[in-house]
Amino acid sequence: MTFGRRSALLWAQLGAFVAVMGPGVITSNVDNDAGGIYTYSVAGARYGYSLLWLLVPVLASLIVVQEMCARMGAVTGKGLADLIREQFGLRLTAIIMLAVLVTNLGNAVAEFAGLASSLELFGISRYLSVPVGAFCVWWLVVFGNYRSVEKAFLVACLLYLAYPLSGLLADPDWMAALHGTVVPTAPLHLEGVAMMVGIIGTTIAPWMQFYLQSSVVEKEVKISDYSKLWFDVVLGSIFAVLVAAFIIIACAATLHAAGITEIADAAQAARALAPLAGRYAWALFALGLANASLFAASILPLATAYSVCEGLGLEAGVNRKFGEAPEFYWLYTLIIVLSAGAILLPGVPLLKIILYSQVLNGVLLPFILVLTIVMVITAFLT
């Protein structure tokens, strides 16, 4: 085979992958949201590089869970909520969908809180940033289609490179980071165990499985293209975990080294970086937080609308017009209005809402995973 033909074949294969790419990369990266960034920041500030090893089994678990849902979407052409309704009945599905709705509403509040706090570091009031951000994500989905929405989300994924750059600018101790990655050490006290559970829980969330499978279905990925979709899932998982690692590294090299072990939110971590790692690392960290928060603020309501509408047998999908899927778009709109509005109302217990939503995430996840595994085993045996 000549060089020209090999080159043409390579470009053709690359083009085929790009055509399928999206669901895995987007789903994995959006999980590095405001809550996730805060969790990783606290891990680096309190424990330095010592918990980096935990990201290795977390990566393996993320790939396995995402792969199951991606495969089910490609094989059946149906979303996860749709399959749960068919397999386990409407009553159980309705209970799960109610839990998903409440949990994701709290999660969406956390995302708009992250957007507000990150842009306030640049002197932008939340009374400007939150309404504008909410309108932008609403307009993107309601007046776009799947292809345009996916392109915007992929661009947002690229902006996560701000965290590897901020980690490099923090001038970390790379030998200590390598040691923390390959030598497991566990803090044997309640706070340390809770930190490790938090790292695991913030990386694999229930809504991710619903969004991934629904996006595979709406993208109309065929089983013949599954090898490319599998690579998309693996690539997205690796990139997302690398971003998490660099957040830990940046905070370990600066906050932990300076004895700063307690931070109230991810925005405070960004602020603390300024005198320790320079203004560029601080700005990159803060901009990364703003991007991650806005990105997740659009995905979470979308994932919720997908799952609830599919679970109840209603029309859902970004490729459908408002009149074709009114329940889908009205639910998406309602979640954005309520979650963004909560940030602007005085006296709303934001911290309690965020905390309880994370607890509900942890409670809901085992049920979703068990139902998913049962469906996979049932399909394998039949």
PDB file of all heavy atoms in Angstrom, residues 32 55 59 163-164 236-249:
ATOM      1  N   ASN A  32     -16.993  16.643  35.749  1.00  0.00           N
ATOM      2  CA  ASN A  32     -16.069  17.539  36.456  1.00  0.00           C
ATOM      3  C   ASN A  32     -16.746  18.904  36.583  1.00  0.00           C
ATOM      4  O   ASN A  32     -16.303  19.902  36.025  1.00  0.00           O
ATOM      5  CB  ASN A  32     -14.739  17.665  35.704  1.00  0.00           C
ATOM      6  CG  ASN A  32     -13.876  16.434  35.873  1.00  0.00           C
ATOM      7  OD1 ASN A  32     -13.969  15.741  36.880  1.00  0.00           O
ATOM      8  ND2 ASN A  32     -13.044  16.139  34.890  1.00  0.00           N
ATOM      9  N   LEU A  55      -7.700   7.591  41.788  1.00  0.00           N
ATOM     10  CA  LEU A  55      -8.251   7.882  40.464  1.00  0.00           C
ATOM     11  C   LEU A  55      -8.045   6.729  39.484  1.00  0.00           C
ATOM     12  O   LEU A  55      -8.740   6.658  38.465  1.00  0.00           O
ATOM     13  CB  LEU A  55      -7.622   9.161  39.909  1.00  0.00           C
ATOM     14  CG  LEU A  55      -7.934  10.450  40.675  1.00  0.00           C
ATOM     15  CD1 LEU A  55      -7.233  11.633  40.022  1.00  0.00           C
ATOM     16  CD2 LEU A  55      -9.434  10.694  40.758  1.00  0.00           C
ATOM     17  N   LEU A  59     -11.115   5.401  37.393  1.00  0.00           N
ATOM     18  CA  LEU A  59     -11.098   5.407  35.926  1.00  0.00           C
ATOM     19  C   LEU A  59     -11.621   4.088  35.369  1.00  0.00           C
ATOM     20  O   LEU A  59     -12.452   4.075  34.449  1.00  0.00           O
ATOM     21  CB  LEU A  59      -9.675   5.668  35.422  1.00  0.00           C
ATOM     22  CG  LEU A  59      -9.452   5.519  33.911  1.00  0.00           C
ATOM     23  CD1 LEU A  59     -10.330   6.490  33.132  1.00  0.00           C
ATOM     24  CD2 LEU A  59      -7.982   5.726  33.560  1.00  0.00           C
ATOM     25  N   TYR A 163      -7.288  23.298  33.337  1.00  0.00           N
ATOM     26  CA  TYR A 163      -6.817  22.685  34.582  1.00  0.00           C
ATOM     27  C   TYR A 163      -5.442  22.031  34.451  1.00  0.00           C
ATOM     28  O   TYR A 163      -4.603  22.212  35.339  1.00  0.00           O
ATOM     29  CB  TYR A 163      -7.866  21.714  35.111  1.00  0.00           C
ATOM     30  CG  TYR A 163      -9.029  22.454  35.701  1.00  0.00           C
ATOM     31  CD1 TYR A 163     -10.259  22.475  35.069  1.00  0.00           C
ATOM     32  CD2 TYR A 163      -8.883  23.192  36.865  1.00  0.00           C
ATOM     33  CE1 TYR A 163     -11.318  23.187  35.590  1.00  0.00           C
ATOM     34  CE2 TYR A 163      -9.936  23.912  37.399  1.00  0.00           C
ATOM     35  CZ  TYR A 163     -11.151  23.902  36.765  1.00  0.00           C
ATOM     36  OH  TYR A 163     -12.196  24.625  37.282  1.00  0.00           O
ATOM     37  N   PRO A 164      -5.167  21.261  33.389  1.00  0.00           N
ATOM     38  CA  PRO A 164      -3.780  20.815  33.217  1.00  0.00           C
ATOM     39  C   PRO A 164      -2.790  21.973  33.141  1.00  0.00           C
ATOM     40  O   PRO A 164      -1.693  21.891  33.706  1.00  0.00           O
ATOM     41  CB  PRO A 164      -3.829  20.027  31.897  1.00  0.00           C
ATOM     42  CG  PRO A 164      -5.221  19.516  31.827  1.00  0.00           C
ATOM     43  CD  PRO A 164      -6.067  20.592  32.426  1.00  0.00           C
ATOM     44  N   GLY A 236     -12.974   9.759  26.571  1.00  0.00           N
ATOM     45  CA  GLY A 236     -13.625  10.728  27.449  1.00  0.00           C
ATOM     46  C   GLY A 236     -13.337  10.456  28.911  1.00  0.00           C
ATOM     47  O   GLY A 236     -13.075  11.380  29.691  1.00  0.00           O
ATOM     48  N   SER A 237     -13.359   9.179  29.301  1.00  0.00           N
ATOM     49  CA  SER A 237     -13.097   8.818  30.693  1.00  0.00           C
ATOM     50  C   SER A 237     -11.670   9.161  31.093  1.00  0.00           C
ATOM     51  O   SER A 237     -11.429   9.706  32.178  1.00  0.00           O
ATOM     52  CB  SER A 237     -13.357   7.318  30.901  1.00  0.00           C
ATOM     53  OG  SER A 237     -14.701   6.979  30.612  1.00  0.00           O
ATOM     54  N   ILE A 238     -10.724   8.855  30.221  1.00  0.00           N
ATOM     55  CA  ILE A 238      -9.312   9.143  30.517  1.00  0.00           C
ATOM     56  C   ILE A 238      -9.084  10.647  30.649  1.00  0.00           C
ATOM     57  O   ILE A 238      -8.435  11.117  31.586  1.00  0.00           O
ATOM     58  CB  ILE A 238      -8.397   8.543  29.421  1.00  0.00           C
ATOM     59  CG1 ILE A 238      -8.429   7.016  29.491  1.00  0.00           C
ATOM     60  CG2 ILE A 238      -6.967   9.058  29.575  1.00  0.00           C
ATOM     61  CD1 ILE A 238      -7.693   6.343  28.352  1.00  0.00           C
ATOM     62  N   PHE A 239      -9.633  11.415  29.719  1.00  0.00           N
ATOM     63  CA  PHE A 239      -9.450  12.863  29.753  1.00  0.00           C
ATOM     64  C   PHE A 239     -10.064  13.469  31.020  1.00  0.00           C
ATOM     65  O   PHE A 239      -9.475  14.326  31.676  1.00  0.00           O
ATOM     66  CB  PHE A 239     -10.069  13.503  28.510  1.00  0.00           C
ATOM     67  CG  PHE A 239      -9.849  14.988  28.406  1.00  0.00           C
ATOM     68  CD1 PHE A 239      -8.600  15.499  28.091  1.00  0.00           C
ATOM     69  CD2 PHE A 239     -10.892  15.873  28.642  1.00  0.00           C
ATOM     70  CE1 PHE A 239      -8.383  16.869  28.003  1.00  0.00           C
ATOM     71  CE2 PHE A 239     -10.692  17.241  28.552  1.00  0.00           C
ATOM     72  CZ  PHE A 239      -9.435  17.741  28.239  1.00  0.00           C
ATOM     73  N   ALA A 240     -11.272  12.999  31.379  1.00  0.00           N
ATOM     74  CA  ALA A 240     -11.953  13.533  32.565  1.00  0.00           C
ATOM     75  C   ALA A 240     -11.157  13.243  33.833  1.00  0.00           C
ATOM     76  O   ALA A 240     -11.032  14.105  34.712  1.00  0.00           O
ATOM     77  CB  ALA A 240     -13.352  12.934  32.669  1.00  0.00           C
ATOM     78  N   VAL A 241     -10.622  12.034  33.951  1.00  0.00           N
ATOM     79  CA  VAL A 241      -9.857  11.667  35.153  1.00  0.00           C
ATOM     80  C   VAL A 241      -8.518  12.400  35.178  1.00  0.00           C
ATOM     81  O   VAL A 241      -8.029  12.777  36.252  1.00  0.00           O
ATOM     82  CB  VAL A 241      -9.674  10.137  35.224  1.00  0.00           C
ATOM     83  CG1 VAL A 241      -8.711   9.752  36.348  1.00  0.00           C
ATOM     84  CG2 VAL A 241     -11.023   9.465  35.451  1.00  0.00           C
ATOM     85  N   LEU A 242      -7.919  12.635  34.015  1.00  0.00           N
ATOM     86  CA  LEU A 242      -6.686  13.433  33.977  1.00  0.00           C
ATOM     87  C   LEU A 242      -6.943  14.863  34.456  1.00  0.00           C
ATOM     88  O   LEU A 242      -6.121  15.440  35.182  1.00  0.00           O
ATOM     89  CB  LEU A 242      -6.113  13.452  32.551  1.00  0.00           C
ATOM     90  CG  LEU A 242      -5.303  12.230  32.128  1.00  0.00           C
ATOM     91  CD1 LEU A 242      -4.895  12.362  30.663  1.00  0.00           C
ATOM     92  CD2 LEU A 242      -4.060  12.060  32.999  1.00  0.00           C
ATOM     93  N   VAL A 243      -8.068  15.432  34.056  1.00  0.00           N
ATOM     94  CA  VAL A 243      -8.433  16.770  34.534  1.00  0.00           C
ATOM     95  C   VAL A 243      -8.569  16.761  36.052  1.00  0.00           C
ATOM     96  O   VAL A 243      -8.060  17.652  36.748  1.00  0.00           O
ATOM     97  CB  VAL A 243      -9.742  17.245  33.872  1.00  0.00           C
ATOM     98  CG1 VAL A 243     -10.293  18.481  34.577  1.00  0.00           C
ATOM     99  CG2 VAL A 243      -9.518  17.557  32.399  1.00  0.00           C
ATOM    100  N   ALA A 244      -9.243  15.734  36.589  1.00  0.00           N
ATOM    101  CA  ALA A 244      -9.388  15.613  38.041  1.00  0.00           C
ATOM    102  C   ALA A 244      -8.022  15.515  38.718  1.00  0.00           C
ATOM    103  O   ALA A 244      -7.776  16.137  39.764  1.00  0.00           O
ATOM    104  CB  ALA A 244     -10.232  14.384  38.373  1.00  0.00           C
ATOM    105  N   ALA A 245      -7.124  14.742  38.117  1.00  0.00           N
ATOM    106  CA  ALA A 245      -5.787  14.583  38.690  1.00  0.00           C
ATOM    107  C   ALA A 245      -5.044  15.913  38.728  1.00  0.00           C
ATOM    108  O   ALA A 245      -4.380  16.241  39.726  1.00  0.00           O
ATOM    109  CB  ALA A 245      -4.994  13.556  37.876  1.00  0.00           C
ATOM    110  N   PHE A 246      -5.159  16.702  37.673  1.00  0.00           N
ATOM    111  CA  PHE A 246      -4.448  17.985  37.634  1.00  0.00           C
ATOM    112  C   PHE A 246      -5.042  19.000  38.619  1.00  0.00           C
ATOM    113  O   PHE A 246      -4.332  19.872  39.112  1.00  0.00           O
ATOM    114  CB  PHE A 246      -4.432  18.543  36.214  1.00  0.00           C
ATOM    115  CG  PHE A 246      -3.261  18.066  35.412  1.00  0.00           C
ATOM    116  CD1 PHE A 246      -3.417  17.098  34.435  1.00  0.00           C
ATOM    117  CD2 PHE A 246      -1.990  18.565  35.647  1.00  0.00           C
ATOM    118  CE1 PHE A 246      -2.337  16.650  33.700  1.00  0.00           C
ATOM    119  CE2 PHE A 246      -0.893  18.130  34.911  1.00  0.00           C
ATOM    120  CZ  PHE A 246      -1.060  17.165  33.937  1.00  0.00           C
ATOM    121  N   ILE A 247      -6.351  18.888  38.889  1.00  0.00           N
ATOM    122  CA  ILE A 247      -6.941  19.751  39.919  1.00  0.00           C
ATOM    123  C   ILE A 247      -6.338  19.411  41.280  1.00  0.00           C
ATOM    124  O   ILE A 247      -5.957  20.300  42.054  1.00  0.00           O
ATOM    125  CB  ILE A 247      -8.468  19.602  39.942  1.00  0.00           C
ATOM    126  CG1 ILE A 247      -9.079  20.133  38.634  1.00  0.00           C
ATOM    127  CG2 ILE A 247      -9.066  20.357  41.139  1.00  0.00           C
ATOM    128  CD1 ILE A 247     -10.554  19.834  38.487  1.00  0.00           C
ATOM    129  N   ILE A 248      -6.241  18.125  41.576  1.00  0.00           N
ATOM    130  CA  ILE A 248      -5.622  17.692  42.837  1.00  0.00           C
ATOM    131  C   ILE A 248      -4.162  18.131  42.897  1.00  0.00           C
ATOM    132  O   ILE A 248      -3.692  18.644  43.922  1.00  0.00           O
ATOM    133  CB  ILE A 248      -5.738  16.154  42.990  1.00  0.00           C
ATOM    134  CG1 ILE A 248      -7.202  15.743  43.149  1.00  0.00           C
ATOM    135  CG2 ILE A 248      -4.911  15.667  44.186  1.00  0.00           C
ATOM    136  CD1 ILE A 248      -7.420  14.248  43.202  1.00  0.00           C
ATOM    137  N   ILE A 249      -3.457  17.952  41.789  1.00  0.00           N
ATOM    138  CA  ILE A 249      -2.036  18.318  41.744  1.00  0.00           C
ATOM    139  C   ILE A 249      -1.843  19.813  41.959  1.00  0.00           C
ATOM    140  O   ILE A 249      -0.969  20.245  42.721  1.00  0.00           O
ATOM    141  CB  ILE A 249      -1.423  17.869  40.401  1.00  0.00           C
ATOM    142  CG1 ILE A 249      -1.283  16.351  40.362  1.00  0.00           C
ATOM    143  CG2 ILE A 249      -0.067  18.532  40.169  1.00  0.00           C
ATOM    144  CD1 ILE A 249      -0.913  15.799  39.002  1.00  0.00           C
TER     145      ILE A 249
END
